[in-house]
Amino acid sequence: MFSPTLSLLLTAALALAIPTPHLAARQNTTNIVLHVTDFTAFMADPTIEGTQSNLSFRITDPRPDFYGAADCVVPPTYFNLYAISALFDYCGPSGSEFSYRFFETGLQVRRSWRIDSNTTLTGSSIQQTAWTEGSNATKLPNGRVFARKSEWLFPLGKLQTGS
């Protein structure tokens, strides 16, 4: 037999556990896909003096209500591209809503966007690179070029909220 106090506590706990429809709709990620286009990375051979690595691609969130796009660029550098983007690096100016990490086996992209005056959502996605010589990887005398000719889709997983 339930006491009125216990019943009230259970009702309150259930109300807290069930998200409001508004919040649940904002967290639905089934249709959020970031698009990466024009991906090119040149990894310079570190044993050849004077060669520099570089990376560039465009990232777009095509949703009409939250449209956004940015160019992600690492200008020519003597540093290894994997070392440069071991942590997330911004696309565009520092503090941009888009960022990425490029590593030996994949590319991870991330976007943050404000949905109201108090809430920011952040979502990210990883895709494996699967570089194949002669297909999307080309060996040159001074390094290797990695390129994606077709659009690369990054469906976002679970979103994180922030303020």
Side-chain angles (χ1 to χ4, degrees), residues 95-155:
S96 167
E97 58 196 29
F98 291 101
S99 56
Y100 72 96
R101 283 181 0 153
F102 179 57
F103 47 99
E104 288 187 57
T105 59
L107 176 67
Q108 182 175 14
V109 295
R110 180 171 69 182
R111 178 167 192 213
S112 297
W113 64 96
R114 190 163 285 289
I115 57 171
D116 61 36
S117 61
N118 297 318
T119 309
T120 299
L121 292 178
T122 300
S124 70
S125 179
I126 297 174
Q127 293 290 348
Q128 299 303 308
T129 49
W131 301 124
T132 304
E133 199 73 41
S135 174
N136 54 12
T138 305
K139 185 163 177 49
L140 301 174
N142 60 347
R144 290 180 72 186
V145 174
F146 303 98
R148 297 268 315 195
K149 294 178 182 166
S150 59
E151 190 170 52
W152 203 356
L153 303 179
F154 287 77

Side-chain angles (χ1 to χ4, degrees), residues 14-152:
L14 284 173
L16 290 174
I18 300 170
T20 63
H22 182 61
L23 182 58
R26 291 186 301 186
Q27 292 179 335
N28 180 355
T29 63
T30 57
N31 295 322
I32 302 175
V33 179
L34 300 180
H35 298 236
V36 169
T37 55
D38 305 318
F39 182 92
T40 303
F42 174 69
M43 298 286 284
D45 182 336
T47 64
I48 298 176
E49 190 173 327
T51 59
Q52 296 183 31
S53 298
N54 62 71
L55 174 140
S56 67
F57 62 91
R58 182 152 182 87
I59 186 168
T60 305
D61 182 343
R63 297 175 297 151
D65 291 344
F66 298 100
Y67 179 84
D71 293 318
C72 306
V73 177
V74 174
T77 179
Y78 290 109
F79 292 102
N80 181 300
L81 293 178
Y82 301 137
I84 289 173
S85 62
L87 302 174
F88 278 97
D89 196 11
Y90 289 109
C91 300
S94 181
S96 167
E97 58 196 29
F98 291 101
S99 56
Y100 72 96
R101 283 181 0 153
F102 179 57
F103 47 99
E104 288 187 57
T105 59
L107 176 67
Q108 182 175 14
V109 295
R110 180 171 69 182
R111 178 167 192 213
S112 297
W113 64 96
R114 190 163 285 289
I115 57 171
D116 61 36
S117 61
N118 297 318
T119 309
T120 299
L121 292 178
T122 300
S124 70
S125 179
I126 297 174
Q127 293 290 348
Q128 299 303 308
T129 49
W131 301 124
T132 304
E133 199 73 41
S135 174
N136 54 12
T138 305
K139 185 163 177 49
L140 301 174
N142 60 347
R144 290 180 72 186
V145 174
F146 303 98
R148 297 268 315 195
K149 294 178 182 166
S150 59
E151 190 170 52
W152 203 356

